[in-house]
Amino acid sequence: MLKIGDTVKVIDMFHYEDGTAKEQVPIGTICKVVDIKENDGIYSFCVRPRGEDLYFFWYAENELEKGHVEWIKDE
C-alpha cells in the first residue's frame, strides 16, 4: 500500500462512483502522496504534482504507480 511521502505517477483517470472518469492530472504526471483516507476499507490517496504547492487531487491506488525519479546526466 502507498504511504505519505511516496512518489507516484498518475496512470489512469480519476473514476467517480457513478462510473464517469475525469483526467484531474494529466496521465504520466509525477506526484507525491500527501494524505491518505480510508472509508469502509477503501483507500484514497491525495497527491500533489511535483513543483505544485496549491493544488492536490484524490486518486484510488490502482490509478497510481509507485516509483522514483533518477537523474541521468546527458552526454
Side-chain angles (χ1 to χ4, degrees):
M1 183 170 85
L2 298 172
K3 58 186 181 293
I4 293 174
D6 283 348
T7 300
V8 295
K9 177 171 70 171
V10 176
I11 60 171
D12 199 358
M13 291 190 268
F14 174 80
H15 292 83
Y16 295 95
E17 290 179 9
D18 67 2
T20 60
K22 180 179 180 183
E23 191 175 41
Q24 295 180 319
V25 175
I27 293 173
T29 300
I30 305 298
C31 300
K32 185 167 289 255
V33 176
V34 295
D35 196 8
I36 300 169
K37 67 179 176 181
E38 181 266 334
N39 187 14
D40 292 332
I42 299 172
Y43 289 88
S44 296
F45 299 88
C46 181
V47 299
R48 179 170 286 145
R50 283 180 10 148
E52 181 58 63
D53 291 332
L54 300 177
Y55 301 103
F56 55 88
F57 304 91
W58 290 92
Y59 280 89
E61 188 166 18
N62 66 335
E63 298 163 341
L64 304 169
E65 178 179 78
K66 183 179 175 184
H68 69 276
V69 177
E70 182 176 331
W71 181 261
I72 301 172
K73 181 181 176 184
D74 287 340
E75 297 296 324

